[in-house]
Amino acid sequence: MKLTLLVGRICSGKSSYKPDACRIVVSNIVKDIIKSSDRSELQNTIHLAKRISTAIDMVIDTAQNVFDDIVVDGIRQPEIVEDLMLSHPHADLVWLEVPEEERKRRYETRKDAKDTESFEIADNKAIELECQKIFCIFKDQLTVVHNYTQK
């Protein structure tokens, strides 16, 4: 089984990376834990890192019996990455790198109902800044994928 732990800032293209793999979307797991899909509540879950990583592990354990390629999409906290790397030491840790201007363009053109604030505010929430910490902490262990083509 190939396991990819996928990390990137808002609008870095996580949902389109490896489209044929089994996708475990972290925000869906978090929604289930907190019983809400409200973006502000989802972004206020830093204190739930251990519960989130345990839940992700349970989903991986089930999925690996059926799928050969699994992507854990949208990890936002270093503690979760650390837990998952300990329980799955052969996992690939991938950072999607996209210039800020392109991420802003994607954010503004996707017109998602959950995007109720400006890109600048959404991109600087505590949970997004935690995501950036992942890059700093695990920079020697991750593969950087430039997920952007200039047009």
Side-chain angles (χ1 to χ4, degrees):
M1 179 230 7
K2 178 155 180 63
L3 177 63
T4 303
L5 307 178
L6 186 60
V7 185
R9 298 289 296 260
I10 192 169
C11 290
S12 60
K14 294 177 293 295
S15 63
S16 60
Y17 183 80
K18 293 182 81 171
D20 295 330
C22 169
R23 186 163 302 277
I24 298 170
V25 181
V26 174
S27 63
N28 290 341
I29 291 172
V30 175
K31 287 174 191 175
D32 190 52
I33 289 171
I34 67 169
K35 306 294 185 229
S36 174
S37 60
D38 179 74
R39 184 177 218 144
S40 63
E41 289 182 44
L42 289 171
Q43 292 177 333
N44 190 26
T45 57
I46 293 171
H47 63 289
L48 297 174
K50 189 51 121 178
R51 278 183 68 192
I52 295 167
S53 59
T54 299
I56 293 168
D57 252 335
M58 290 171 54
V59 176
I60 291 170
D61 288 346
T62 301
Q64 71 184 354
N65 295 323
V66 180
F67 299 99
D68 294 326
D69 195 3
I70 300 170
V71 173
V72 179
D73 170 348
I75 303 167
R76 292 277 191 263
Q77 294 159 264
E79 296 84 357
I80 295 172
V81 171
E82 185 174 33
D83 286 349
L84 294 175
M85 293 296 285
L86 284 172
S87 58
H88 303 279
H90 299 293
D92 292 328
L93 180 58
V94 174
W95 174 271
L96 296 183
E97 183 65 37
V98 176
E100 183 177 351
E101 317 79 60
E102 174 61 13
R103 292 187 303 107
K104 180 177 180 177
R105 187 197 65 75
R106 291 175 183 180
Y107 183 87
E108 292 172 349
T109 58
R110 74 181 180 179
K111 300 191 184 329
D112 195 318
K114 67 185 175 191
D115 298 336
T116 58
E117 52 205 4
S118 72
F119 171 79
E120 291 76 14
I121 291 173
D123 193 43
N124 285 291
K125 294 282 189 175
I127 201 78
E128 285 298 317
L129 300 177
E130 284 291 304
C131 183
Q132 189 66 39
K133 279 186 191 176
I134 293 171
F135 182 83
C136 296
I137 293 169
F138 296 96
K139 65 180 175 250
D140 295 333
Q141 295 169 266
L142 53 77
T143 300
V144 176
V145 173
H146 294 276
N147 200 23
Y148 168 67
T149 306
Q150 278 190 324
K151 296 175 182 164

